[in-house]
Amino acid sequence: MENIFNPIKSRFKEPLIKNMCEYNELMDKFKGDYEGTWASFADEKIDWFKKYDTILDESNAPFYKWFTGGQMNVAHQCVDRHLDTKKNKAAIIFEGDNGDQQILTYRELAYEVNKTANMFKNKFDVKKGDRVVVYMPMIPEAAVVMLACAKIGAIHSIVFGGFSAEALRDRIIDAEAKLVVTADGAFRKGKPYMLKPVVDKALEEGCECVSKVCIVERNGEDIEWVAGRDYSYNELVKTESSVCAAEPMDSEDPLFLLYTSGSTGKPKGVQHSSAGYILWAQMTMEWVFDIQDNDTYWCTADIGWITGHTYIVYGPLAAGATTVMFEGVPTFPDAGRCWRMVEEYKINQFYTAPTAIRLLHKTGAHEPSKYDLSSLRILGTVGEPIDPPAWKWYYEEVGGSQCSIVDTYWQTETGGHMISPLPAATPIKPACATFPLPGIMAEIIEEDGTPVEIGEKGFMCVTKPWPSMIRTIWNDGERFKKSYFGDCKKDGQPVYFTGDGAMMSEDGYITITGRTDDVINVSGHRMGTAEVEAAVKKHDNVASVAVVGKPHEIKGEGIFAYVVLKSVPSNHNDQTADEFEVMKEINNIIKTEIGAIALCDDIAFVPDLPKTRSGKIMRRILRSIVKGEAITQDTSTLEDPSIVGKIEEIVNR
Ligand code: WTA
């Protein structure tokens, strides 16, 4: 008998969706009048400058448009419109790696956003529609920069601070950015680290589009200044006015780009809209996190990922909440860091990735009991499947068996949560994303749209467009169509395919079974095997390579590479030492090309890869070998069927 945990209502006061009846009613309302129901939320939640004419424009599917004809501004929605009622409420609570604290009230946030927006316009000539690349640490200025872009209609493209100069350069060039905003560096585990030198390196070639770099001071370390290109944020912002009118933005004007990995090729610039995106960010904040006026909410993600965009900055602020921003890492100075912060700030919602939960479980299983965590009401997880032991520890030790766990399933492309429990309503099953949120028509189907049988794996699709969905891939509409609307159909029409597999139980619970494509999920971060392979191939002695995910105790998945060398080290007595050397060189290349997050955990040097006669690499066989699973695929079609045994032997050595 499966465990089912009913929501514990004692810590909830006024949840928006109180029970499954209300959930079903709302879902039925959407089913009965899909567009009308979305419109009623758009009317209620968004402070429109000009009301829209059309709710959903499907005339150029799959380039869907929502709320066209309407005008609004996301920074106004997140900051200015709260000033009447929440002026002195904390908008952002910042805690530095070293324990520094800083609080920005909504009034102070408005002041900083306006000054920064004016600085962008006056000192950097940033105009509506220009792209601004942001390469910043987790400091309040990062949120200010995002909102300042939104205020004047510039499109930000944040690049995670762990990406290398090469990766940063690719993204700058693809977005044709005009300005790069960065910081000297920041602090991590008690020590300063640097970002500005990475920007310098990225700009060395091919980035003619960038004329200026704006640098926020954080760690005070020495950096080089390029005259005429580099400017100090702290200096320039001082003299700007704190009054700035919000640029009226069309609903469909892009708010930001965020690059993410696909199964093939280079990372793609996922483009999000203004009105539809912020509407769903706010609604999910209210539904899934039950955000109430006195709550203090903390999401541990980095702003370099979609979780940081939607659930540190845009969602919480649109909902008028208090959001915590943390510069450090959960295990520094010790494994009690998060719990100490929960106690200190009286956190009500805590949102993190299964990787962090596994790490904290492993390094400090009993740490939570040392702190008063009774303020917690909701615990969230995101980014990868959570395994039952980690779930249990989170539920019992962190939540004291008194909190709801929301296992939120979504993607960079979906803008916000898609499948998740509602904390006061949904009876939860450990490690299960449960049900689609109201308004989300998620279905598990075969490629032709047939619903799969109960308990069978199928494709996780969304069969109707929703407001916060990806609008296109920057500069590549064809790739957008092919990547998301090329695989599955329903009633003959292409539908959005997530790239994930899923299963449904008899009682309708959805469990995500993971990617069906060549994307791996390392510590909740998406990594394309093609990108890692392209980096490995840059090594002079690599003839061919195939990268797959390998189950990893903490990271969920680690990166495993099968490498065929051009010349096998001749000295067989010392083969392992030679291979070790090559492995180090390969990882150095990956670090330069992508960043440390994509390092290979393990490399197997093999005589060849399992290829069909037409030259296609049979990755499924390679995945099975690394998992130690029996090979069920037909190997007789391989060019050299004996290679499978040879590879198995090497991997299991
Ligand atoms: C995976 C992160 C299982 C999934 C918000 C998806 C999950 C990819 C869950 C998106 C979850 C995300 N359970 N798997 N609760 N949440 N995933 O774009 O494979 O960085 O396609 O967005 O993470 O990763 P992304």
Side-chain angles (χ1 to χ4, degrees), residues 258 260-261 270 305-307 311 351 354 381-386 406-414 416-417 419 431-433 496 498-501 511-517 519-521 524-527:
L258 183 56
T260 191
S261 298
V270 171
W305 308 107
I306 190 69
T307 307
Y311 296 111
Y351 191 31
T381 80
V382 56
E384 47 176 329
I386 178 164
V406 289
D407 179 350
T408 61
Y409 166 76
W410 60 296
Q411 313 178 290
T412 305
E413 294 86 342
T414 67
H417 300 148
I419 303 179
C432 174
Y496 178 86
T498 58
D500 285 300
T511 300
I512 305 297
T513 54
R515 303 288 306 194
T516 61
D517 55 12
V519 169
I520 32 192
N521 198 325
H525 301 323
R526 251 166 92 167
M527 207 44 71

Side-chain angles (χ1 to χ4, degrees), residues 2-31:
E2 259 178 316
N3 285 336
I4 293 208
F5 295 76
N6 283 311
I8 293 149
K9 310 253 178 177
S10 58
R11 292 191 186 178
F12 289 89
K13 285 200 190 88
E14 285 291 326
L16 280 179
I17 303 175
K18 295 180 195 59
N19 49 52
M20 286 312 273
C21 264
E22 289 188 5
Y23 165 80
N24 289 324
E25 273 168 26
L26 197 47
M27 203 51 156
D28 287 344
K29 210 169 148 208
F30 273 106
K31 285 182 183 155

Side-chain angles (χ1 to χ4, degrees), residues 124-132 153-156 176-178:
F124 297 104
D125 193 31
V126 177
K127 298 196 173 66
K128 180 174 172 179
D130 284 344
R131 275 79 57 208
V132 174
I155 304 169
H156 61 71
E176 292 172 90
K178 180 173 207 172

